[in-house]
Amino acid sequence: IEDLKSLPLVRAGETRNITALLKTRACLLVIDDADPGLATGQLSALCGPRSHVILTQRQRGADTFDLPLLAEGEARTILDKAGTPCPENVFRTIWSTVGGHPLSLNLLRATVQQNSASWAEIALDCQVVGELPDDKGQRLADRMLARLRPMLQRELAVFQWAALPAVNQDFLVKLLA
């Protein structure tokens, strides 16, 4: 909460305080991968009557809402609202990457709808999502692997020893058995 109070937001060359905006304007603040210890009561106290906060977390809490996933038909309907229908091969790539996650599907639709990317570019992004940098300039794949590193020390040591991005599955199984 204290970090949020001191975080400046620059809009049109002016520095604004996020907590003041939450109190006085209609705002939607999304905090992705929030710390489980984040006090939601203190956070909601920062909001005025027209502001809302969405927290995404990896761990479930007492007031957690599990976002229901969409069926394939519903996902296709969302994507097809981009103005240009989503080609079947692109839909298959998107579906295998994000599944029925409503927010992801709507972001992809909006990207095409606003002519920020074509369906072909969206498909390419989905195919290389692990290579894309996160907000800290780190590859998403590296960030995810870092979370798994403590559990996979032996397995990852084989790749480091071999100095290769891929090793034969039989070799890996035999070596680790």
Side-chain angles (χ1 to χ4, degrees), residues 4 19 40 63 67 70 88 117 124 129 133 154 168:
L4 188 59
T19 55
T40 55
D63 56 354
L67 189 65
L70 301 174
E88 180 61 25
L124 287 173
V129 71
R154 291 182 58 225
N168 180 284

Side-chain angles (χ1 to χ4, degrees), residues 1-54:
I1 300 296
E2 291 306 314
D3 289 344
L4 188 59
K5 288 180 180 178
S6 64
L7 187 67
L9 174 68
V10 179
R11 296 183 87 193
E14 291 183 36
T15 302
R16 299 177 183 207
N17 181 287
I18 292 176
T19 55
L21 290 173
L22 284 169
K23 203 51 125 175
T24 61
R25 307 253 176 128
C27 296
L28 173 63
L29 175 65
V30 179
I31 301 176
D32 186 34
D33 198 15
D35 185 286
L38 185 61
T40 55
Q42 288 180 326
L43 195 54
S44 63
L46 296 175
C47 295
R50 299 179 310 147
S51 290
H52 301 279
V53 178
I54 296 175

Side-chain angles (χ1 to χ4, degrees), residues 39-177:
T40 55
Q42 288 180 326
L43 195 54
S44 63
L46 296 175
C47 295
R50 299 179 310 147
S51 290
H52 301 279
V53 178
I54 296 175
L55 299 176
T56 65
Q57 296 175 313
R58 295 177 194 282
Q59 299 170 348
R60 299 180 67 139
D63 56 354
T64 297
F65 172 75
D66 286 328
L67 189 65
L69 298 179
L70 301 174
E72 279 191 52
E74 295 167 318
R76 175 161 287 293
T77 299
I78 286 174
L79 295 175
D80 284 344
K81 289 182 179 179
T84 305
C86 179
E88 180 61 25
N89 63 328
V90 174
F91 177 76
R92 288 283 134 225
T93 301
I94 291 171
W95 184 255
S96 68
T97 305
V98 302
H101 191 268
L103 180 58
S104 298
L105 292 164
N106 272 300
L107 289 172
L108 294 174
R109 178 206 40 81
T111 302
V112 172
Q113 193 170 19
Q114 295 171 8
N115 295 318
S116 298
S118 67
W119 284 120
E121 291 169 316
I122 295 293
L124 287 173
D125 287 346
C126 286
Q127 291 169 356
V128 297
V129 71
E131 299 297 318
L132 299 174
D134 65 8
D135 57 337
K136 297 175 182 144
Q138 183 181 22
R139 284 183 339 142
L140 185 58
D142 293 334
R143 185 173 177 177
M144 299 308 287
L145 280 174
R147 293 180 181 182
L148 296 171
R149 191 175 309 270
M151 295 178 292
L152 299 173
Q153 285 296 332
R154 291 182 58 225
E155 292 85 351
L156 293 174
V158 173
F159 289 93
Q160 187 175 12
W161 167 78
L164 296 170
V167 294
N168 180 284
Q169 179 182 351
D170 294 334
F171 172 73
L172 184 62
V173 169
K174 184 150 185 101
L175 192 62
L176 295 174

